[in-house]
Amino acid sequence: MKIEIITPDHTIYEGEIKSVRVPGRKGSFQVLKDHAPIISTLDPGPVYIVEQDNREVTYNIDGGVIEVRANRIILLTESVK
Amino acid sequence: MANLKAIRLRITSVRSTRQITSAMKMVAAAKLRKAQDKIVRLRPYAGKLHEILVHLTQSLADADIKNIYSRQESPEKILIVAITSNRGLCGAFNSNVVKEVKRLITETYHEQYKNGNVEFLAIGKKGYDSLRKMKLNIISENNELLNDLTFEKVSALAENVMNAFVSGDYDRVELVYNHFKNAAIQQLTTEVFLPVETISEEGKAAAHVDYIYEPDKKSIVRELIPKSLKIQFYKAVLDSFVAENGARMTAMHKATDNATEMIRDLTLQYNKARQAAITGQILEVVSGAEALK
């Protein structure tokens, strides 16, 4: 499963991951392999990524939108802290 | 015959001018490349956002897309955002924007201007100075924005403009800036920023995917439109910045060429004068020796 976290200034993160948890508008949710296609807006909050080697990476995003489709995740956010 | 010393001095001075213009050309070229990189990096974000928006709006009725940013009224209060540069020496770059602003207030928005309902927002010192000289109503200047161009700063400004539109301070917001075509050509662009025109681009009926929408299509569209507006604003500022450096590069390239030409002419003149002087001296010596005989 591949994820890209993109801001207008640059691509923050790109790579193969096991799972990601994002702060969805209707509550935080986790995306695992073969997740159903979804488009959701995101609240400001933390994004937890679990990489292939089980390492955890966290980003604090300033809201945004996520699109999941065919094991490709694209997360658009305006800024990352 | 011009005197030798004067010509020599001029050659030296033109030479040092050439050195400066050619250095400025290099700097502009480096900045141009950096700014172009920024646009390239913006593309994935802008592209994806647009894709999602088009995808969503296709499946929504027009009435659902109507939002606070698409209030259509006969424009009474106008805001013109003039994007120029902080520094000169870039050809007609800034004066083109000022000219267009003049055209807007004498033609398109003449009525509103007479009623004092046209206001200006200047980005870039050069434009600000010219507009101020024309005694126009400038609500704010944002010159330091161009020194360190980041999305964060530009989007804060865009948000102010959008809020002013939503609260009814303006009925129409236009951007005037130079679009970068290539290093030699800048295309003056006047673009309606607000109100939003409906997103009409027909996506190739994208392979239909049944997405889950959270919270729901309508709210997603409502949330994404301001984001895409900010991107549009940022794109315009970046575009203008790239064009500025392209214009400066071209202007400095021409200046360097002209200086080289001038040095050539002056050197020729100098050598002629030198030869004439030598000839004169020889004549004096020879005629002096002749007279002694």
Side-chain angles (χ1 to χ4, degrees), chain A residues 6-10 25-26 29 36-42 63-65 67-69 74 76-79, chain B residues 41-42 44-45 48-49 52 55 150-152 207 209-215 220 223-224 227 230-231 234:
Chain A
I6 308 172
T7 70
D9 282 328
H10 49 282
R25 176 62 30 94
K26 274 164 63 182
F29 64 93
I38 183 171
I39 292 177
S40 170
T41 48
L42 304 175
V65 61
E67 183 199 31
V68 181
R69 177 181 168 185
I74 290 163
L76 303 178
T77 177
E78 282 183 357
S79 72
Chain B
R41 271 178 301 177
L42 175 66
Y45 185 95
K48 196 71 210 171
L49 195 63
I52 295 179
H55 181 90
T150 60
F151 176 71
E152 245 178 311
V209 182
D210 272 320
Y211 283 104
I212 305 167
Y213 296 99
E214 246 174 54
I220 297 180
E223 199 160 322
L224 292 192
K227 283 189 200 300
K230 282 189 213 160
I231 290 292
Y234 184 51

Side-chain angles (χ1 to χ4, degrees), chain A residues 29-76:
Chain A
F29 64 93
Q30 192 178 32
V31 179
L32 289 158
K33 198 168 172 291
D34 294 327
H35 192 284
I38 183 171
I39 292 177
S40 170
T41 48
L42 304 175
D43 281 336
V47 172
Y48 301 102
I49 296 174
V50 179
E51 291 181 323
Q52 288 295 346
D53 49 7
N54 286 328
R55 265 195 304 151
E56 248 194 66
V57 187
T58 312
Y59 293 104
N60 255 310
I61 62 161
D62 179 28
V65 61
I66 189 171
E67 183 199 31
V68 181
R69 177 181 168 185
N71 285 322
R72 264 185 74 83
I73 307 170
I74 290 163
L75 198 164
L76 303 178

